[in-house]
Amino acid sequence: MPTYLVVAHRTLVGEHLLDHVRSLCSQTDCRFYLVVPVTHPRDHSWSEGEVEAAARRRLEEGIEAFRNLGVEATGEVGDANPVYAVSTALRNRPFGDDEWDGIIVSTLPPGVSHWLGLDVVSRIKREFDIPVTHLVAPKVQATA
């Protein structure tokens, strides 16, 4: 069964990502492991509990959205560094010894995305020998 790791936070339940999932699973059953890195707010002081709870809520929303599409989904809250969060998830082998068919990185658009400024997509491509797909949310979602 094709197995994909998805790394996203604000864009996890975006239509651009859900449309991609629909297309991947249109011919065969797929399963997804969602990694939601914690995000540290820039507009106020935060606690570890606050950022963990926000990421956990987003993960639950993502799992529900994927399951509403009829696909198997599970996941974890990851480190604030998305590359490290992906590495940890891959090491934990959530689906046993099954191979990964791809990593999907969903970001906000250029100019808004902190991850693009950190070159996260290129770093993930260099770090792992797994095909990486980069999906960019439309600018409309970036303001939401």
Side-chain angles (χ1 to χ4, degrees):
M1 174 183 304
T3 304
Y4 300 92
L5 186 143
V6 175
V7 59
H9 189 106
R10 286 181 50 191
T11 63
L12 184 61
V13 295
E15 280 304 310
H16 72 292
L17 177 55
L18 298 177
D19 286 344
H20 185 71
V21 169
R22 279 185 203 95
S23 72
L24 287 172
C25 301
S26 65
Q27 302 296 318
T28 186
D29 290 338
C30 300
R31 62 184 171 187
F32 296 86
Y33 193 76
L34 313 180
V35 176
V36 179
V38 296
T39 300
H40 301 136
R42 296 180 189 178
D43 62 345
H44 67 277
S45 297
W46 48 268
S47 68
E48 289 296 326
E50 175 191 356
V51 296
E52 173 83 19
R56 175 103 15 237
R57 282 190 302 276
R58 178 56 79 178
L59 175 62
E60 291 167 1
E61 291 169 4
I63 289 172
E64 181 179 347
F66 278 59
R67 289 183 179 164
N68 285 342
L69 296 177
V71 300
E72 181 182 342
T74 187
E76 67 184 61
V77 169
D79 188 81
N81 177 330
V83 179
Y84 183 75
V86 167
S87 177
T88 300
L90 293 175
R91 268 195 321 272
N92 289 340
R93 296 189 164 278
F95 295 114
D97 289 333
D98 286 357
E99 296 295 321
W100 294 95
D101 292 280
I103 298 171
I104 301 166
V105 182
S106 178
T107 68
L108 294 169
V112 180
S113 173
H114 178 67
W115 289 3
L116 292 179
L118 297 174
D119 200 25
V120 166
V121 177
S122 296
R123 290 170 52 210
I124 289 173
K125 286 179 179 179
R126 283 191 307 268
E127 183 82 20
F128 309 105
D129 190 26
I130 300 169
V132 176
T133 301
H134 178 210
L135 302 176
V136 179
K139 288 193 182 283
V140 173
Q141 184 174 348
T143 61

